[in-house]
Amino acid sequence: MDNDSFQQEVLNELGDDKLTEIAGLLGTDAAGAQNVVASTADAFAGGLAEKAENATPQEAEEVRQALSEASEPPLQGVATLGGGMGGLLGGGMMAGVLAKMAKPVANAVAKKTGLPAASVTRAIEIALPVVLAVVTKRATQRRNPGGSAGGSAAGAAPGASGGGLGDLLGQVLGGGKK
């Protein structure tokens, strides 16, 4: 499954300094911080996929529009996002979708890792702008056929009929239906 590449891309974007900061917040080492960030990336990707599967038409359209907006040029890279949840203000609709998921993701990661939910929440505040940046970058690559996504689906409009929202998210996050 390609979720591993999504995790790795989030870890790469986060960098050693932020991983060290997260490790300090969690009271763990770099490997423990990487585990929490990987679990967080998985939980966000899984949460978006679940939201797509179980979405009302209105929720599905919100995610579809958020992905479409995320692929637009103005938002690029982690530097434009600032830090913490406040940095998500410039992230548009996708930032809102991810911010709504932050507490359930923090609870799920805390349960999985055994770490206190409050500590995981603080770590997610650091990681969330990076997750947003990676989703944005991938959505942009998917929308621009010249990007690494390639293939006939790369130029398809986010609202295009065919595979549906789950397939669209699979193309952006990896691990889509084969």
Side-chain angles (χ1 to χ4, degrees):
M1 189 179 247
D2 260 352
N3 277 354
D4 289 344
S5 69
F6 181 71
Q7 288 175 6
Q8 193 57 53
E9 200 168 337
V10 169
L11 286 166
N12 291 344
E13 282 284 328
L14 202 55
D16 291 339
D17 290 344
K18 291 292 183 186
L19 273 175
T20 301
E21 185 178 344
I22 289 171
L25 282 172
L26 298 173
T28 187
D29 59 6
Q34 285 181 342
N35 183 38
V36 168
V37 171
S39 294
T40 298
D42 260 0
F44 275 114
L48 284 171
E50 184 179 319
K51 189 173 182 91
E53 237 176 75
N54 302 319
T56 65
Q58 183 180 355
E59 289 169 333
E61 186 56 27
E62 178 186 14
V63 173
R64 195 173 281 111
Q65 285 178 353
L67 281 170
S68 178
E69 180 186 281
S71 69
E72 298 297 322
L75 176 65
Q76 299 218 347
V78 177
T80 61
L81 297 173
M85 295 292 197
L88 293 174
L89 295 176
M93 290 180 74
M94 183 54 73
V97 169
L98 292 175
K100 286 179 197 174
M101 295 172 58
K103 186 172 183 167
V105 165
N107 290 336
V109 172
K111 185 176 181 178
K112 179 178 178 181
T113 62
L115 294 166
S119 298
V120 174
T121 298
R122 288 194 301 275
I124 286 176
E125 288 175 357
I126 294 169
L128 193 54
V130 176
V131 171
L132 176 61
V134 171
V135 169
T136 298
K137 185 168 89 174
R138 285 175 163 231
T140 301
Q141 288 172 344
R142 185 197 157 278
R143 172 167 260 192
N144 299 323
S148 64
S152 60
S161 62
L165 184 57
D167 286 344
L168 174 63
L169 284 169
Q171 291 169 8
V172 172
L173 299 174
K177 293 177 184 174
K178 306 235 183 260

